[in-house]
């Protein structure tokens, strides 16, 4: 190569960039390298510089000037993830950029599914409002197979009693231990003034039992039997809330999440249901009763979730229908009530609010009901108990309710 040719090459490479360590930048070298034919003394052939080039320099720093397609990594291959499709690190680039704590939700999910879930639902209302039928329709089970139906004389002599039924339900690998607490005899007697006291004492008893388990030695296997939700059944035959309804809801409002339900709404027309809901909500505000309040949607929620949340809030109090009978309607077997004038479908949103109640109770707000029970109602009970204990130095025992 003569002197003029070397000066021409030096002029062509004058725009090459040098990094802070004094090394030649690979991108600038590839950009400034001449694209015409060249001859390599060590290779007796002529090639085109189309992102493929060769070099014969033995200098070690030139080992990086390789063809881009031949770049290899010295890192060992990433092991196969046990999470499969749930693994957020699906590519090597993501594996290099992240530490790995994004898999924490998957770890919590796996541990929770393995442990299972518990939920306690209390139903309060007078006999004949369809409490048992609604519970069976909500969870597609039969909790009252051997239940005896009392006649009129037996109902008059009956006192308020608390019965608890437990059933384990599994759906798609998720196990749920469901506890149903029923209040038999509530509101059936002539003088029902103190009917709600048995219910209030039962809730306090469960709080006290949980508190004793919390301060005990064995805290790994604590059974959570606290009442997470109370479905309060309102009769469809009145004009609003009865005095017993007001007193009971007032006694329970600071101890449990109350969800008002208008029972047997198929006995009312659409306009009657609408007027009854407005009347009940106005009386709840009038007597300053506290019912379960739906949490506000987060700012990052999509429009579909916001729409469903608004529908749930507008449905309170829920006008529901329950049925244990399967009816063939146009080739479909559905839960419905059959009448001479037609069929009332339980899961039809135009016939009742059953679907909204089930979605709220099971699919969207079950965990929030449990959080409200633990963070609000249970903590309020503990605070009151500690305040009284400081003044009297007595360990109160509320577990005197007969189950």
């Amino acid at each position: 190569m003569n002197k003029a040719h070397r000066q021409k090459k030096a002029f062509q490479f004058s725009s090459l960039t040098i990094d802070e360590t004094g090394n030649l930048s690979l991108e600038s070298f590839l950009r400034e390298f001449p694209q015409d034919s060249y001859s390599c003394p060590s290779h007796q052939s002529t090639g085109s510089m189309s992102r493929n080039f060769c070099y014969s320099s033995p200098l070690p720093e030139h080992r990086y000037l390789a063809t881009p397609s031949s770049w290899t990594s010295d890192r060992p291959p990433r092991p196969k993830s046990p999470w499969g499709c749930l693994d957020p690190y699906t590519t090597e680039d993501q594996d290099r950029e992240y530490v790995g704590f994004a898999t924490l939700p998957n770890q919590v999910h796996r541990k929770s599914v393995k442990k299972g879930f518990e939920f306690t639902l209390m139903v309060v209302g007078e006999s004949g409002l369809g409490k048992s039928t609604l519970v069976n329709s909500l969870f597609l089970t039969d909790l009252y197979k051997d239940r005896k139906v009392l006649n009129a004389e037996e109902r008059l002599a009956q006192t308020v009693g608390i019965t608890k039924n437990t059933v384990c339900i599994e759906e798609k690998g998720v196990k749920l231990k469901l506890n149903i607490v029923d209040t038999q005899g509530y509101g059936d007697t002539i003088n029902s003034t103190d009917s709600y006291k048995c219910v209030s004492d039962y809730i306090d008893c469960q709080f006290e039992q949980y508190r004793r388990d919390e301060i005990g030695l064995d805290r790994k296997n604590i059974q959570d039997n606290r009442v997470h939700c109370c479905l309060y059944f309102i009769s469809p035959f009145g004009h609003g809330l009865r005095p017993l309804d007001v007193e009971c809801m007032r006694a329970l409002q600071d101890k449990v999440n109350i969800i008002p339900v208008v029972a047997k709404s198929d006995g009312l027309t659409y306009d009657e249901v609408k007027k009854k809901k407005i009347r009940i909500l106005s009386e709840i505000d009038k007597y300053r009763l506290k019912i379960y309040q739906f949490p506000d949607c987060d700012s990052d929620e999509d429009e579909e979730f916001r729409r469903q949340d608004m529908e749930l809030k507008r449905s309170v109090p829920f006008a529901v229908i329950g049925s244990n009978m399967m009816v063939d309607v146009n080739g479909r077997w559905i839960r419905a009530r059959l009448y001479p004038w037609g069929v009332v479908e339980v899961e039809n949103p135009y016939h009742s609010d059953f679907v909204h109640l089930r979605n709220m109770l099971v699919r969207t707000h079950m965990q929030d009901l449990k959080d409200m029970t633990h963070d609000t109602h249970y903590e309020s009970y503990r605070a009151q108990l500690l305040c009284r204990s400081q003044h009297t130095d007595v360990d109160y025992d509320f577990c005197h309710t007969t189950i």
Side-chain angles (χ1 to χ4, degrees):
M1 185 181 296
N2 53 26
K3 182 177 181 181
H5 186 69
R6 286 195 300 269
Q7 292 178 352
K8 180 180 180 181
K9 292 296 183 181
F11 176 80
Q12 289 178 351
F13 295 158
S14 59
S15 61
L16 292 177
T17 58
I18 305 298
D19 59 10
E20 58 273 8
T21 60
N23 297 326
L24 184 65
S25 175
L26 178 60
E27 294 184 1
S28 62
F29 179 81
L30 294 176
R31 183 175 62 253
E32 299 294 340
F33 201 89
Q35 302 295 321
D36 54 355
S37 299
Y38 70 95
S39 61
C40 180
S42 60
H43 296 78
Q44 301 300 325
S45 61
T46 302
S48 176
M49 184 56 190
S50 177
R51 296 195 60 83
N52 291 309
F53 58 94
C54 63
Y55 61 91
S56 59
S57 174
L59 297 179
E61 59 269 16
H62 289 174
R63 67 181 182 273
Y64 298 105
L65 300 179
T67 305
S69 61
S70 64
W71 293 349
T72 59
S73 176
D74 297 334
R75 300 180 59 194
R78 183 171 180 263
K80 185 178 180 181
S81 173
W83 301 108
C85 61
L86 297 178
D87 189 2
Y89 307 107
T90 56
T91 62
E92 288 293 334
D93 294 337
Q94 291 178 342
D95 191 20
R96 294 175 183 176
E97 296 177 0
Y98 298 104
V99 177
F101 54 82
T103 58
L104 285 175
N106 299 333
Q107 301 175 33
V108 175
H109 174 268
R110 183 181 181 183
K111 186 176 181 180
S112 300
V113 170
K114 185 178 180 180
K115 182 180 179 181
F117 300 89
E118 294 180 347
F119 188 76
T120 301
L121 175 66
M122 173 180 281
V123 289
V124 179
E126 64 184 41
S127 301
L129 292 181
K131 301 188 299 295
S132 305
T133 304
L134 180 64
V135 170
N136 292 336
S137 302
L138 284 172
F139 299 98
L140 302 179
T141 183
D142 190 2
L143 294 174
Y144 306 94
K145 296 180 181 179
D146 303 328
R147 185 174 183 177
K148 180 182 177 181
V149 179
L150 303 179
N151 54 31
E153 296 180 356
E154 292 173 340
R155 287 185 181 180
L156 291 176
Q158 184 186 18
T159 59
V160 180
I162 305 295
T163 58
K164 178 181 175 182
N165 295 313
T166 302
V167 60
C168 295
I169 307 174
E170 183 173 354
E171 183 180 65
K172 294 184 178 180
V174 180
K175 298 179 181 180
L176 173 65
K177 181 182 177 183
L178 178 64
N179 301 317
I180 303 297
V181 180
D182 194 1
T183 56
Q184 295 182 358
Y186 173 82
D188 294 343
T189 59
I190 297 177
N191 185 8
S192 302
T193 305
D194 299 334
S195 297
Y196 58 88
K197 290 186 177 180
C198 182
V199 180
S200 178
D201 291 341
Y202 177 83
I203 298 175
D204 289 337
C205 178
Q206 303 309 312
F207 282 156
E208 178 64 19
Q209 184 62 42
Y210 188 85
R211 187 188 70 87
R212 292 179 182 273
D213 294 340
E214 249 189 347
I215 63 178
L217 296 178
D218 186 12
R219 300 182 53 178
K220 294 183 179 180
N221 301 317
I222 298 179
Q223 298 294 327
D224 187 8
N225 294 319
R226 297 170 298 179
V227 180
H228 302 119
C229 178
C230 174
L231 294 182
Y232 191 88
F233 285 71
I234 302 173
S235 175
F237 308 115
H239 295 285
L241 297 177
R242 300 178 303 171
L244 179 61
D245 299 333
V246 176
E247 293 298 326
C248 182
M249 295 174 68
R250 182 175 292 161
L252 303 180
Q253 62 184 359
D254 294 325
K255 300 180 180 182
V256 68
N257 302 307
I258 300 176
I259 299 178
V261 172
V262 179
K264 293 188 174 181
S265 62
D266 53 340
L268 303 173
T269 63
Y270 178 80
D271 293 336
E272 290 174 342
V273 170
K274 188 176 180 180
K275 292 180 181 179
K276 192 172 185 63
K277 285 187 175 184
I278 296 175
R279 178 72 176 270
I280 292 174
L281 291 177
S282 64
E283 291 183 353
I284 288 176
D285 294 336
K286 176 182 177 181
Y287 297 109
R288 298 181 180 181
L289 302 177
K290 301 177 184 177
I291 61 176
Y292 173 72
Q293 299 294 328
F294 294 91
D296 297 331
C297 293
D298 297 332
S299 58
D300 57 345
E301 298 291 352
D302 55 3
E303 293 297 330
E304 181 65 21
F305 185 85
R306 292 175 178 272
R307 183 186 63 81
Q308 295 178 0
D309 185 72
M310 290 299 300
E311 290 182 359
L312 290 179
K313 292 179 180 179
R314 286 195 297 261
S315 300
V316 178
F318 297 94
V320 296
I321 303 171
S323 176
N324 293 329
M325 182 174 58
M326 303 297 293
V327 180
D328 184 8
V329 179
N330 298 327
R332 298 184 301 114
W333 288 94
I334 58 176
R335 287 180 178 262
R337 303 189 72 91
L338 187 61
Y339 294 98
W341 46 264
V343 177
V344 178
E345 301 179 15
V346 174
E347 299 184 4
N348 191 334
Y350 295 101
H351 294 177
S352 72
D353 297 327
F354 174 84
V355 175
H356 297 318
L357 176 62
R358 184 181 61 185
N359 290 340
M360 184 278 301
L361 196 62
V362 181
R363 300 183 180 181
T364 58
H365 292 78
M366 177 177 283
Q367 187 59 43
D368 186 71
L369 289 169
K370 298 178 66 175
D371 294 340
M372 282 289 296
T373 301
H374 182 79
D375 300 336
T376 303
H377 301 302
Y378 174 66
E379 290 300 324
S380 176
Y381 169 81
R382 286 183 65 254
Q384 294 177 7
L385 187 65
L386 292 175
C387 182
R388 285 179 291 183
S389 299
Q390 289 177 356
H391 292 287
T392 60
D393 294 332
V394 176
D395 190 8
Y396 289 89
D397 187 2
F398 292 96
C399 295
H400 58 271
T401 304
T402 303
I403 301 175

